[in-house]
Amino acid sequence: MIFRKICKYLSIIILLTFTTNTHGEIKIAYFDLDFVMLKSKAGISISKQISNIKKNNIAKLNKTEKDLNAKDKKLISQKNILTKEDFAKQVKNLRKEAFEYQNLRQKLIKDSNDQLIKAKSEFVIKLQPILTKYSQNNDLSLILQKKMVVIGKTELDITKDILELANKEIKEIKVK
């Protein structure tokens, strides 16, 4: 654990050493990626699309669950009418359907989480050229994520600028 922290700090020091310009001055800024992700047009679009996917999944699961409950009640009401073999067979089928429902539920949750991760990754990939251009235009040596900064002057926070640029450059990201 301590070794990782030491390696991390050494990497930053080495990076800072190599990124110095001819005057020996290093310009650093930071931005809040999570804030940009939440407040940008593309980030809001991602959230809405994922929300719609989850609503559709919940509706599908609720319908399946109601069907299973109805089958369960019907089977319980027929317990005394059916033979033991037929009852056991139908219980087995109902358990199989319940198991399939659980698998479907887990799959839908995993799929929506994967879609969110992919969309966020695509957003970050599209944000990189914006950060590069901003860095070059403002003669910055290094741009850090806010969560990597322990203490920093508020003047070094470029989150609002990055948000504006992201809104201009990245209109929407399709969740696949």
Side-chain angles (χ1 to χ4, degrees), residues 2 4 31 36 41 47 50 71 79 83 90 97 110 117 126 132 163 169:
I2 295 173
R4 287 184 187 174
F31 79 106
V36 173
K41 291 176 185 176
S47 295
I50 292 295
K71 287 180 182 180
K79 183 177 182 178
T83 64
Q90 288 190 15
E97 286 183 44
K110 182 185 179 306
I117 290 168
K126 289 186 177 188
T132 301
L163 178 61
E169 300 288 326

Side-chain angles (χ1 to χ4, degrees), residues 86-137:
D86 286 340
F87 182 76
K89 184 179 176 183
Q90 288 190 15
V91 166
K92 183 179 176 182
N93 288 338
L94 187 60
R95 285 183 181 159
K96 182 180 176 185
E97 286 183 44
F99 181 74
E100 289 171 358
Y101 166 78
Q102 290 298 326
N103 287 340
L104 175 65
R105 184 170 184 247
Q106 289 173 357
K107 182 185 179 309
L108 292 175
I109 291 169
K110 182 185 179 306
D111 288 348
S112 67
N113 288 339
D114 289 347
Q115 289 171 325
L116 177 62
I117 290 168
K118 286 179 186 176
K120 284 184 174 185
S121 295
E122 186 177 338
F123 180 82
V124 170
I125 289 169
K126 289 186 177 188
L127 192 61
Q128 283 179 324
I130 295 169
L131 291 171
T132 301
K133 186 176 178 182
Y134 185 88
S135 172
Q136 291 169 348
N137 292 344

Side-chain angles (χ1 to χ4, degrees), residues 37-51:
M37 185 86 65
L38 286 174
K39 299 297 182 180
S40 67
K41 291 176 185 176
I44 292 169
S45 169
I46 290 170
S47 295
K48 285 181 181 178
Q49 291 176 67
I50 292 295
S51 178

Side-chain angles (χ1 to χ4, degrees), residues 9 15 18 41 54 56 70 102 112 116 119 144 162 167 175:
Y9 290 119
L15 180 67
F18 287 117
K41 291 176 185 176
K54 287 183 178 181
N56 291 338
Q102 290 298 326
S112 67
L116 177 62
L144 300 170
I162 299 301
N167 282 335
V175 176

